Amino acid sequence: MLWLAWPPIPYSSPILWVAFVPLLIAIERVIRGDYSRKGRKIFSLAFLTGFLWNTASIYWVYNAMSAYLPSYIALFISLIPFGLAPILMALVFRLYYQLRKKSSIGLAFLGLICFWVGYEYLHQWWDLAFPWMTLGNGFAGFHQLIQWYSVTGVFGGTIWIWLVNIITFLILQQKIANVEVYNNRRLVIVALVVIIVPCAISLLQYSKFEEHINPSEVVVVQPNIDPYGKFGPIPADQQLNTLIRLSKKIAKPNTEFFIWPETAISSQNYLVEDEFRSTTVYEKIQVFLNDFRNGSVLSGIESVGIYDTPKTRTARDLGNGKYLEPFNAAVLVDQSSKLQFYHKSKLVPGVEQLPFGKALSFMKPLFAHFGGATGGYGSQDEPSVFYSQSGIGAAPVICYESIWGNYITEYVKKGAQFIAIVTNDGWWGNTSGKDQHLLYAKLRAIENRRWVARSANTGISAFINQRGDIVQQTSWWSPTALSQEINLNEDLTFYTKYGDLILYLILIGGCISLYPMIKKRS
């Protein structure tokens, strides 16, 4: 049920309202039954559920890993999202069981919600972060029902899903046990209210929402360069020519932004950021922009910085008193003398960064051996906003970063008027991964009420409006470009201003309410 409810299966998201009910019933049977080692049995049940759900939904992770690494290393790293998240999920239910032994079922369910939200929060911010399966993401395919994410973000969706599951479980469990601790008719009414009220508010917001008219012409380019040939047989000069040709084909005289995908600008040799203006790549982009008075190219780039001292633990000693720092970056090129770079902050664990790098620094040579840059990209601590010559602020979001709602708000608070996602989803092949990644971008549009211009190397590129509607999108594995007049926005939503406030209130409130009751009963 969890898998069927998960994107990209269209309009199946409401299954999430009841998808945990079978697991809750199974756990209740263990709690009430004559079993030994009940805690271990509950942990196993929850782990099996989580493992099947995760593996069925994100099986494509292995494709991405195998693009960089030998198959056995790729399989090992794939176990992080396949197995680690289910272990954390299982731990949530194990803690729920411990709480259940010392408190009422109502208090235990409050603890369950708090523990689950705590797990999702951890899986957003530690070195093995992979928030792809955050429950609130599950409604990305039915965005008409979650317009209120502009207040709560995806964690509001997580709490909503759990409330409906718990109420539904109580109704069914009382019928199964033929015991009525809580009035079933009232529970049905509460369940309907919890479902209908947020949906009604969202549909009203969706139908009434109007964008402020503040137009800007934007082009997104999908060059469709095979990622397995990008850094090998396909010359960098040929790739650049493809980007320029596709951009010119659809551009208008008033086009202000050309969005090119992740690592679109690359070279067989290092592209040193301080020397970028002297490269033929830069010269070609300048010639291209001569036809567009206010035009800017916002592109992904594989760049390096060369420094006199190692600024981070990922710096590589060149042996001549210089240190090299590789970046998966974005760059803004316009006709001014200014160059703007942004270094991807949210790096993929095991592929772009060595998790817990300080503690595991002794493994750095091993990771370097398997894939060169694995575990070795530099990053910056906070997002940067790119500003065009006309003063338009764009959020340069690189691939994996688009999963972090709270992180994207930092761009917007710094002045981003639209979100530019540059990505390369070709590593995953023609799997559901590319579709999920596109749908998650709708959540960022709703949370911040910003247009999303999404440029993907091999698909799917798209424009998404401030309500989360996909206005245009490309097909998979097709070289093309899209042009769209988007509306810039400077207003800040509640979520943009305050981030995951709902999450923090739930965690703090849960801890405060649980502690004295547990202490009293222990």
Side-chain angles (χ1 to χ4, degrees):
M1 292 174 72
L2 287 163
W3 169 70
L4 287 173
W6 208 251
I9 300 174
Y11 303 110
S12 63
S13 309
I15 298 175
L16 287 172
W17 289 330
V18 295
F20 281 103
V21 172
L23 176 60
L24 291 173
I25 290 174
I27 289 173
E28 190 66 19
R29 287 178 177 173
V30 173
I31 291 173
R32 295 174 180 268
D34 185 20
Y35 295 99
S36 60
R37 298 180 175 177
K38 292 183 178 182
R40 182 178 296 182
K41 195 171 189 68
I42 288 169
F43 185 93
S44 300
L45 278 169
F47 174 79
L48 180 60
T49 301
F51 185 79
L52 292 174
W53 169 34
N54 274 250
T55 305
S57 300
I58 55 172
Y59 62 93
W60 46 264
V61 168
Y62 174 78
N63 296 46
M65 298 300 170
S66 62
Y68 291 90
L69 303 166
S71 57
Y72 62 96
I73 298 292
L75 180 62
F76 174 75
I77 294 178
S78 297
L79 291 176
I80 295 175
F82 290 164
L84 181 58
I87 289 173
L88 296 174
M89 294 176 193
L91 182 60
V92 166
F93 285 96
R94 184 66 173 82
L95 292 172
Y96 158 72
Y97 169 64
Q98 289 300 119
L99 186 58
R100 181 71 183 278
K101 291 192 296 184
K102 297 183 178 181
S103 63
S104 67
I105 190 170
L107 186 60
F109 276 130
L110 173 61
L112 175 60
I113 294 174
C114 292
F115 298 147
W116 186 277
V117 170
Y119 137 68
E120 289 191 345
Y121 177 77
L122 171 67
H123 220 31
Q124 289 239 8
W125 298 112
W126 67 330
D127 270 20
L128 292 173
F130 190 77
W132 201 277
M133 301 301 292
T134 298
L135 263 184
N137 291 342
F139 272 87
F142 207 161
H143 66 281
Q144 294 87 349
L145 299 184
I146 53 166
Q147 295 294 306
W148 42 269
Y149 275 22
S150 61
V151 176
T152 69
V154 294
F155 286 113
T158 294
I159 295 166
W160 185 39
I161 290 166
W162 266 116
L163 285 174
V164 179
N165 271 276
I166 288 169
I167 297 168
T168 305
F169 162 76
L170 289 173
I171 295 169
L172 292 177
Q173 181 60 33
Q174 290 188 155
K175 285 187 174 294
I176 292 170
N178 200 26
V179 175
E180 192 169 287
V181 179
Y182 304 98
N183 185 285
N184 257 4
R185 182 175 296 178
R186 290 180 182 176
L187 284 176
V188 170
I189 293 171
V190 171
L192 291 174
V193 169
V194 172
I195 292 172
I196 293 172
V197 170
C199 289
I201 291 172
S202 182
L203 291 171
L204 184 64
Q205 286 180 309
Y206 182 80
S207 63
K208 297 291 186 181
F209 184 82
E210 292 184 5
E211 298 181 3
H212 298 302
I213 305 302
N214 186 9
S216 179
E217 194 71 32
V218 178
V219 166
V220 296
V221 179
Q222 180 172 298
N224 197 47
I225 296 168
D226 189 335
Y228 293 95
K230 180 173 181 59
F231 301 105
I234 304 176
D237 194 56
Q238 180 182 326
Q239 296 177 38
L240 180 62
N241 291 338
T242 299
L243 291 161
I244 292 174
R245 175 177 55 82
L246 290 170
S247 299
K248 282 184 174 180
K249 185 177 179 180
I250 201 168
K252 299 176 181 178
N254 64 335
T255 298
E256 294 185 275
F257 280 90
F258 297 90
I259 315 296
W260 295 352
E262 182 182 15
T263 67
I265 299 174
S266 60
S267 173
Q268 261 65 27
N269 301 314
Y270 290 128
L271 285 172
V272 182
E273 292 182 354
D274 290 342
E275 301 171 1
F276 186 61
R277 287 187 187 84
S278 63
T279 64
T280 56
V281 174
Y282 181 79
E283 291 174 4
K284 282 191 172 185
I285 294 174
Q286 288 295 319
V287 172
F288 160 66
L289 288 175
N290 283 337
D291 295 331
F292 307 97
R293 186 169 57 88
N294 291 321
S296 301
V297 169
L298 191 163
S299 176
I301 182 173
E302 270 223 328
S303 64
V304 300
I306 295 181
Y307 311 107
D308 294 330
T309 57
K311 294 191 175 183
T312 69
R313 62 176 179 267
T314 59
R316 302 172 187 180
D317 190 349
L318 294 177
N320 57 355
K322 299 289 184 180
Y323 294 85
L324 181 144
E325 189 85 69
F327 299 109
N328 185 353
V331 63
L332 186 76
V333 181
D334 56 26
Q335 293 178 300
S336 72
S337 60
K338 185 179 180 182
L339 267 180
Q340 300 172 61
F341 284 95
Y342 164 69
H343 303 141
K344 184 179 180 182
S345 297
K346 300 295 183 182
L347 301 175
V348 181
V351 175
E352 294 179 325
Q353 70 162 344
L354 174 61
F356 310 109
K358 191 172 182 179
L360 301 178
S361 59
F362 66 93
M363 295 181 65
K364 189 175 177 181
L366 176 64
F367 275 80
H369 178 69
F370 292 115
T374 299
Y377 279 114
S379 64
Q380 62 184 65
D381 294 332
E382 58 184 34
S384 302
V385 176
F386 286 165
Y387 287 97
S388 68
Q389 294 178 84
S390 56
I392 298 172
V397 179
I398 303 175
C399 189
Y400 188 56
E401 295 179 319
S402 63
I403 317 172
W404 274 266
N406 193 277
Y407 186 74
I408 303 302
T409 65
E410 296 302 313
Y411 289 101
V412 179
K413 284 190 284 189
K414 290 184 175 184
Q417 295 162 287
F418 77 99
I419 299 167
I421 297 177
V422 297
T423 184
N424 183 0
D425 295 344
W427 302 112
W428 311 342
N430 190 12
T431 66
S432 59
K434 69 182 191 310
D435 303 295
Q436 291 170 356
H437 202 194
L438 168 67
L439 294 173
Y440 290 171
K442 295 162 65 174
L443 304 177
R444 309 293 85 85
I446 294 169
E447 288 165 348
N448 299 282
R449 297 303 183 189
R450 294 293 190 272
W451 273 77
V452 174
R454 189 175 194 271
S455 171
N457 173 35
T458 51
I460 303 170
S461 301
F463 285 100
I464 303 170
N465 69 17
Q466 296 172 25
R467 295 193 307 180
D469 301 319
I470 298 177
V471 178
Q472 288 193 73
Q473 73 176 74
T474 63
S475 57
W476 163 255
W477 208 258
S478 173
T480 188
L482 300 174
S483 178
Q484 176 71 43
E485 185 179 83
I486 70 173
N487 282 319
L488 307 173
N489 189 14
E490 296 180 359
D491 296 337
L492 302 183
T493 66
F494 183 92
Y495 182 72
T496 302
K497 290 179 182 177
Y498 302 107
D500 293 316
L501 180 62
I502 298 293
L503 161 72
Y504 304 134
L505 291 176
I506 287 291
L507 291 177
I508 294 171
C511 291
I512 292 174
S513 61
L514 289 172
Y515 177 74
M517 296 181 189
I518 294 173
K519 186 177 180 181
K520 182 178 179 181
R521 293 172 185 272
S522 60

